[in-house]
Amino acid sequence: MPTRTLLAVFTAFLLGLTWPAALNGGPFWHPDTSNYIRAADAAFVVVTGSPSEWSDRLKIGSTPITSPSKPGATTVQPTRPVLKGRSIYYGALLYLPIRWFGPLGAVFFQCSLVAATLSFILSIVSRAVAFDKKMLALSVCAISLASPLPLYSCTLMPDVWTGIFSAFFALALFFRRQFTPVEFFAALVISAILITFHTTNLLLALPIAFLGITVTQIRERAMNAVFGAIIVTSFLVANFAFDYAVTKQTGAPPISPPFLTARLVDQGPGNAYLENHCFSPSSFEICRYRGKLPKASDNFLWSQNRLNGVFQIATPTSQRLLAAQDKRFFVAVALADPLRFIEHVAVSSVEGLADFSLRNFNLSELNRSGIDKSYPPMVKAHILGTRAYAGTFPLQKIEVLCAVGSMLSVFILIYALMRAGKSALASQAGRYVAVLLVAIFANALICGAFSKPDARYTMRMLWLLPFAAGIAVASTGQRVMYKGE
């Protein structure tokens, strides 16, 4: 792709991705956003000794001048337990832009990175698939105007990067021959960073890497296996580094909220398990709260109301037990009644795939109360001025556009598949498109198993449909998709 065309694609994407923030009066927020930013702020304060408005939950001091190790160094102690599951690495992406330039700076920076990543992906694909200017323009317009990607790009949450990571990681596995050595090294670094933004990215990397190893040509499989191993290892190393740093700074390891337990006791098979196993000597900590179950998972995890909440109102000791037993409880429930567990996951996955709502972008009453408690005053004042906080952002019209765009994309993909016939999966483009579709369904299955059905999880991946459709049409328009294959 010529440099001039690449710049035009980047500019078009940037304009197409930022319009929701302009219409909303700023980025979209979620109560969880503050956890990402506060984690990065704590690290920044430790390193620089410079607090910000986000430091209101930190106890900041300094070591005595006479201390033999790092005299006068800044000490930071959080006033609440440090939670895992809210990536400090994603928080670092937002932290400096929001500290220096405010919320508009943060959302513009994120949209710029998304636009740059998409442009890079298309530039690599275009070396193997002949995108004419018309098809390129249609693909950019479809993604920008008839998919949820602009909304997610303007939301200060890592959801937007789940689909981006899937597309980018698969690109490095299936289009490796189109990369220069420098570009491939950049792809390695970028993928290693993106996977740290959310645990879902790790879980999606596993099936994508498996396909990249099994369905590519033999001479590429070893390199893909090494690439996949490096990316997965980067996630594990990043999490170990976070755990180590928190433990060294605070004297206690971070707590991972019991997401799996909350999911299983939200009208799930976990409640039946508790009825039969809470009287054994090896019973789980969750048995202490059996009288309050079933409980909606959000209330279980985050409510501070003694009637509705569980995790937030538990003692520190109980919190750590719930967290430590989370995975073991998940496995125990699955093994106790495998058929019921599989049915539960399947139903949740289908419900998630069938929900195309964007209602989460207008803040609910629960989320508005979360915003009120989570943010420093200056940021809260900005959030209060957005249309999403008032519940007036015009989501219904966007839902219609996304539904139409998705249906057309599916028809186009079917048409392209029929036109390509048996050779559809024999090319790099065909395999890449297939992996993007697998990623959509794998995301639904993962979220169905580990979280409650939520349109937010499905919709964050839906832009991959018009993206894949554009690649499929461009590739089937050629007599030979890839020379040498």
Side-chain angles (χ1 to χ4, degrees):
M1 185 182 294
T3 302
R4 186 174 179 179
T5 304
L6 183 61
L7 288 173
V9 170
F10 169 77
T11 302
F13 267 131
L14 185 57
L15 292 173
L17 295 176
T18 53
W19 66 262
L23 184 60
N24 186 47
F28 296 87
W29 300 79
H30 191 278
D32 285 347
T33 305
S34 68
N35 293 321
Y36 293 98
I37 300 174
R38 289 181 188 280
D41 176 71
F44 189 83
V45 173
V46 169
V47 173
T48 67
S50 174
S52 74
E53 61 180 329
W54 297 92
S55 309
D56 55 331
R57 294 183 182 175
L58 301 176
K59 293 180 180 178
I60 303 172
S62 60
T63 57
I65 299 298
T66 56
S67 175
S69 62
K70 298 183 179 180
T74 301
T75 61
V76 173
Q77 287 291 330
T79 57
R80 303 183 185 187
V82 178
L83 300 181
K84 295 179 66 172
R86 300 293 181 263
S87 169
I88 190 175
Y89 306 102
Y90 175 70
L93 181 80
L94 300 178
Y95 180 65
L96 290 181
I98 204 169
R99 177 164 178 166
W100 291 342
F101 304 107
L104 292 178
V107 72
F108 182 80
F109 182 63
Q110 176 160 278
C111 287
S112 297
L113 291 179
V114 173
T117 308
L118 288 175
S119 301
F120 181 81
I121 293 173
L122 284 176
S123 71
I124 297 297
V125 174
S126 67
R127 297 172 190 176
V129 179
F131 273 96
D132 58 32
K133 291 183 179 180
K134 190 178 194 179
M135 178 54 63
L136 202 56
L138 285 173
S139 296
V140 173
C141 287
I143 293 170
S144 301
L145 300 176
S147 90
L149 185 62
L151 285 170
Y152 283 91
S153 299
C154 292
T155 303
L156 301 184
M157 285 286 286
D159 289 334
V160 64
W161 295 104
T162 301
I164 296 290
F165 168 75
S166 301
F168 196 83
F169 183 51
L171 181 82
L173 297 177
F174 288 89
F175 285 90
R176 189 169 58 81
R177 282 174 286 163
Q178 278 67 45
F179 284 86
T180 66
V182 173
E183 289 170 339
F184 193 72
F185 178 75
L188 178 68
V189 173
I190 294 170
S191 297
I193 293 172
L194 293 183
I195 198 173
T196 67
F197 285 3
H198 203 276
T199 305
T200 306
N201 296 358
L202 170 68
L203 299 177
L204 283 172
L206 300 178
I208 293 173
F210 175 78
L211 292 173
I213 296 168
T214 57
V215 305
T216 50
Q217 294 185 1
I218 294 176
R219 64 179 181 271
E220 297 176 329
R221 292 177 183 175
M223 178 62 77
N224 284 349
V226 171
F227 186 89
I230 292 173
I231 301 308
V232 171
T233 301
S234 68
F235 177 92
L236 301 177
V237 170
N239 275 267
F240 173 80
F242 175 71
D243 290 355
Y244 176 80
V246 170
T247 303
K248 185 174 181 180
Q249 183 69 30
T250 67
I255 300 175
S256 180
F259 292 109
L260 303 179
T261 301
R263 177 72 191 100
L264 292 173
V265 299
D266 181 359
Q267 304 293 341
N271 297 306
Y273 178 88
L274 293 177
E275 289 180 6
N276 298 319
H277 294 83
C278 270
F279 305 102
S280 64
S282 59
S283 60
F284 292 92
E285 178 68 10
I286 185 62
C287 290
R288 292 168 55 92
Y289 305 96
R290 184 172 159 230
K292 302 179 72 173
L293 305 176
K295 185 75 62 182
S297 57
D298 283 344
N299 287 332
F300 180 99
L301 291 168
W302 311 122
S303 176
Q304 298 182 33
N305 184 304
R306 293 201 169 272
L307 294 177
N308 292 325
V310 174
F311 182 67
Q312 289 293 324
I313 64 172
T315 65
T317 300
S318 184
Q319 284 184 333
R320 291 196 177 275
L321 283 173
L322 287 168
Q325 297 173 358
D326 190 39
K327 295 182 179 63
R328 187 159 64 89
F329 180 67
F330 183 83
V331 172
V333 173
L335 294 178
D337 193 347
L339 292 179
R340 184 173 180 180
F341 179 81
I342 292 171
E343 179 188 8
H344 175 69
V345 171
V347 170
S348 297
S349 301
V350 171
E351 287 179 357
L353 276 173
D355 191 349
F356 294 94
S357 170
L358 294 169
R359 60 182 176 272
N360 289 327
F361 288 91
N362 275 332
L363 294 174
S364 65
E365 183 178 350
L366 176 63
N367 281 345
R368 283 197 294 272
S369 65
I371 294 289
D372 185 62
K373 298 174 182 177
S374 300
Y375 288 92
M378 289 181 64
V379 178
K380 179 183 167 184
H382 173 84
I383 298 173
L384 293 178
T386 62
R387 299 183 72 174
Y389 187 88
T392 58
F393 193 84
L395 292 173
Q396 291 184 338
K397 296 177 182 178
I398 301 173
E399 287 174 349
V400 172
L401 280 174
C402 291
V404 172
S406 298
M407 287 188 291
L408 285 175
S409 297
V410 170
F411 290 137
I412 290 169
L413 283 166
I414 294 172
Y415 166 78
L417 177 64
M418 294 175 62
R419 184 173 179 180
K422 295 181 179 179
S423 64
L425 294 178
S427 66
Q428 288 171 295
R431 293 168 187 158
Y432 183 62
V433 167
V435 170
L436 295 181
L437 299 180
V438 167
I440 294 174
F441 287 97
N443 173 72
L445 184 62
I446 291 166
C447 294
F450 301 134
S451 185
K452 67 176 183 179
D454 194 328
R456 166 186 158 204
Y457 302 132
T458 297
M459 297 298 278
R460 68 184 177 184
M461 301 287 285
L462 209 61
W463 69 271
L464 290 173
L465 285 177
F467 179 69
I471 295 174
V473 170
S475 64
T476 55
Q478 300 168 245
R479 290 186 179 181
V480 180
M481 289 187 192
Y482 300 97
K483 295 178 181 180
E485 285 200 355

